[in-house]
Amino acid sequence: MKKQWLALGVICLFLCLFSGALFLIPESERDEKEPPDDLRLVAETQTILSVNVKNAQGGYAAAWEDGKVKIEGLEEIPIKDKAIREVTEKTAFIQAEKEIPNGEGRLSDFGLEFPEAEVEFVFEEAGEETLLIGHKVPDTNAESRYILWKEKVYVATEAALSPFFFGRNDFVSDEVSPAYQDSQASILVQKISLTRTEGETIVIELADSSKIAGYLVNSYQLTSPLEYPARDDLSENFLPSLFDITAWKAVELYPGEKELEEYGLRTPYVKAEVTYLVSGSENKNAERTFTLSASKPDENGLVYITRDSIPVIYQCTSAELEWLDADEKKLLSGAILSPAIRSLSKLTVKAAENTYEIILNHMGEENEEVFCNGKKVDSDSIRNLYYMMISQTADEILFSDLPDTDRMKKRAEIIYTYVQGTASDHVIYYEESTRRLYAALNGEERGYRLSSSGLEKILFNLEKLSAGEKIEARY
């Protein structure tokens, strides 16, 4: 009998503990139950005609026509494909994780009385339905939210609900300018014009395109505010900085005068006009243009840009926009003189008490001959020496306020005599300071400041050449 009473006591104690545990569990969690296998809220057979989204970002309205989605108010604006895909895929597949029975009577507990997002669906077959999105579900590893659909409360992942927190600006493409390199096409920049509020307009134009050692080499020329060859690496850094510009975000759609003034674009800091050719399988030298208007960078390096007539103000950073603060002097080629060797008939170098006269006959042809002070010399040696001459690069180019050379020691003079006619160019090198030279081209035409190491190498190899030694390439 005692054993029976003991067993009965244990059962009663267990029931008490179990009821106490139920009392400690929050009501909302006690009401939850495991969902059936399929909690897909939008049926596969339903055709969505439109959605109207309301949220803290301002929301948006989207409509489907002929299988394509259009965002209301963005008809003239380039759209971000990724955002469109996300809306298309996730509106058609809203999957709940679990249902909360009797949740519709406690909407305030789930943030559904004043939802954080509201989505009005219009279906072709079923008419209108509304989805409300409430608070985040507490204490969950995967971020989820409470939702109300057809008078029932569910839990769904935030990932499944992400497009319902978009604003209209989130659909705007962040590609401000075209891509510079494309697997299907190649781009050749023809002309760039930079109109600046602080400085004269800079114009750069394609001067020549040629193949060297199998590679296409494009050379450019400044035509404003002066006419002068552009630096050799223009295609590597400067030109690409006008392409592939990606915005951080779109800050204003359909801006008026007030917004343009606010973002420093009513009178742009720089206006860049770019003309280029596109060639490839689908394009045969199709000429295209685009225009960028940019504000002056602020203290954080932020820049606001518009493109063509697209009614969007983009926010970008100035870090990679080399063209934004272009300085024409920094765009100039540092080469003092670099005519093609085929265009020359003679090179004359005068240094100290020595004069070297190099005769160039039929360069580039089978019967080419080269003589130095009357002695026949190796053609490859002359080419290597000539490369040293034309590869000298100035650190500074002077077009005015040239220094007085009467007080400087003359180090060398190189005279370039051309095949056609009797025209020639001459460069005189002066010692301006220790290890620094000043080079004057054609008297007072323009001047250059450069290191003396290049000239020293040239004179050293000239002595070797006149002694019958070969000059090796030093690239």
Side-chain angles (χ1 to χ4, degrees):
M1 187 72 175
K2 289 181 180 179
K3 290 182 179 179
Q4 290 176 336
W5 281 107
L6 180 61
L8 181 63
V10 169
I11 292 170
C12 290
L13 178 62
F14 175 78
L15 290 173
C16 289
L17 290 172
F18 181 74
S19 61
L22 282 175
F23 180 78
L24 293 173
I25 297 173
E27 184 181 351
S28 61
E29 291 187 25
R30 295 203 306 270
D31 287 345
E32 290 182 6
K33 64 181 182 181
E34 289 301 316
D37 291 338
D38 185 12
L39 274 176
R40 180 167 178 171
L41 305 185
V42 178
E44 290 184 55
T45 56
Q46 289 179 291
T47 302
I48 300 173
L49 298 179
S50 65
V51 294
N52 185 25
V53 178
K54 301 173 184 177
N55 56 39
Q57 304 301 320
Y60 60 92
W64 278 260
E65 296 178 15
D66 300 324
K68 295 181 180 179
V69 61
K70 294 182 180 180
I71 308 300
E72 185 179 304
L74 299 183
E75 291 81 8
E76 302 171 284
I77 293 174
I79 299 299
K80 188 185 297 181
D81 291 338
K82 182 181 178 182
I84 290 294
R85 283 197 305 270
E86 196 166 352
V87 168
T88 301
E89 292 169 4
K90 292 186 178 180
T91 51
F93 189 87
I94 303 174
Q95 181 79 33
E97 292 183 301
K98 52 179 76 172
E99 178 188 343
I100 300 179
N102 304 316
E104 63 274 14
R106 298 177 285 116
L107 296 184
S108 60
D109 292 347
F110 310 112
L112 292 166
E113 191 172 22
F114 301 100
E116 296 186 29
E118 180 178 337
V119 187
E120 298 172 355
F121 286 81
V122 178
F123 296 99
E124 187 175 42
E125 302 85 358
E128 297 182 6
E129 292 288 352
T130 299
L131 172 72
L132 301 184
I133 303 175
H135 293 332
K136 291 184 178 182
V137 179
D139 304 323
T140 53
N141 292 329
E143 291 190 341
S144 302
R145 285 184 180 269
Y146 296 109
I147 61 174
L148 180 68
W149 177 258
K150 294 184 178 180
E151 305 303 324
K152 291 184 180 182
V153 177
Y154 301 90
V155 171
T157 64
E158 279 206 293
L161 305 171
S162 60
F164 306 128
F165 289 93
F166 288 174
R168 194 170 58 157
N169 288 20
D170 292 314
F171 290 94
V172 179
S173 173
D174 55 7
E175 296 175 2
V176 181
S177 60
Y180 190 62
Q181 292 184 339
D182 191 313
S183 59
Q184 303 299 319
S186 60
I187 282 177
L188 178 61
V189 176
Q190 298 287 100
K191 182 179 179 181
I192 295 170
S193 177
L194 302 174
T195 304
R196 306 173 294 170
T197 57
E198 300 178 5
E200 298 180 77
T201 298
I202 297 175
V203 179
I204 303 166
E205 298 186 55
L206 180 67
D208 183 45
S209 293
S210 57
K211 279 194 174 182
I212 299 177
Y215 294 94
L216 184 65
V217 177
N218 301 316
S219 58
Y220 289 86
Q221 174 110 357
L222 270 78
T223 57
S224 177
L226 73 164
E227 291 196 16
Y228 199 84
R231 71 189 195 210
D232 293 338
D233 66 344
L234 209 69
S235 298
E236 298 172 17
N237 301 306
F238 186 81
L239 298 184
S241 75
L242 284 152
F243 293 80
D244 294 298
I245 299 173
T246 302
W248 277 22
K249 60 181 177 180
V251 295
E252 198 73 48
L253 305 184
Y254 300 97
E257 288 297 313
K258 179 184 175 183
E259 289 77 20
L260 292 174
E261 181 73 35
E262 179 184 349
Y263 289 102
L265 289 166
R266 197 161 70 88
T267 303
Y269 177 61
V270 178
K271 185 176 181 180
E273 299 172 76
V274 182
T275 302
Y276 63 102
L277 292 179
V278 180
S279 60
S281 56
E282 297 181 1
N283 303 282
K284 292 185 178 179
N285 292 331
E287 185 174 280
R288 297 180 184 175
T289 62
F290 66 89
T291 300
L292 303 175
S293 296
S295 69
K296 188 172 185 177
D298 65 15
E299 62 275 10
N300 298 313
L302 295 178
V303 179
Y304 298 96
I305 297 179
T306 59
R307 174 182 171 183
D308 298 324
S309 59
I310 297 171
V312 178
I313 295 178
Y314 302 94
Q315 185 188 75
C316 304
T317 57
S318 61
E320 297 179 359
L321 306 180
E322 188 177 334
W323 55 273
L324 200 61
D325 286 303
D327 182 340
E328 60 268 25
K329 292 183 179 178
K330 293 181 180 179
L331 295 173
L332 303 179
S333 171
I336 298 172
L337 201 61
S338 55
I341 195 169
R342 290 186 181 188
S343 67
L344 299 173
S345 63
K346 183 169 65 173
L347 278 170
T348 306
V349 181
K350 299 177 182 179
E353 303 299 323
N354 300 317
T355 297
Y356 305 92
E357 188 175 76
I358 301 169
I359 304 298
L360 307 168
N361 292 329
H362 313 293
M363 296 304 293
E365 300 176 18
E366 291 184 4
N367 58 337
E368 70 175 22
E369 288 182 313
V370 181
F371 299 87
C372 179
N373 290 344
K375 296 179 182 179
K376 190 173 182 177
V377 293
D378 178 54
S379 295
D380 288 337
S381 292
I382 285 296
R383 282 189 170 83
N384 293 334
L385 178 66
Y386 186 67
Y387 179 80
M388 296 175 196
M389 290 181 180
I390 64 174
S391 63
Q392 290 186 95
T393 303
D395 301 318
E396 183 182 359
I397 305 171
L398 289 77
F399 295 92
S400 60
D401 301 324
L402 305 181
D404 184 4
T405 57
D406 291 339
R407 299 182 181 182
M408 297 181 188
K409 180 183 178 182
K410 184 176 177 180
R411 288 289 307 276
E413 180 178 3
I414 301 178
I415 302 170
Y416 300 77
T417 304
Y418 297 94
V419 174
Q420 299 295 330
T422 57
S424 65
D425 287 311
H426 61 276
V427 182
I428 302 177
Y429 295 87
Y430 299 91
E431 189 176 286
E432 189 172 31
S433 62
T434 305
R435 308 295 298 168
R436 300 293 295 172
L437 297 176
Y438 171 74
L441 175 62
N442 296 331
E444 298 298 316
E445 184 176 323
R446 55 181 173 266
Y448 305 83
R449 288 194 170 103
L450 67 160
S451 168
S452 62
S453 59
L455 180 63
E456 290 170 0
K457 184 167 64 174
I458 292 168
L459 298 179
F460 173 75
N461 282 284
L462 266 172
E463 288 186 26
K464 290 177 62 178
L465 184 71
S466 63
E469 297 181 44
K470 284 194 174 184
I471 309 300
E472 301 295 334
R474 292 288 186 271
Y475 301 132

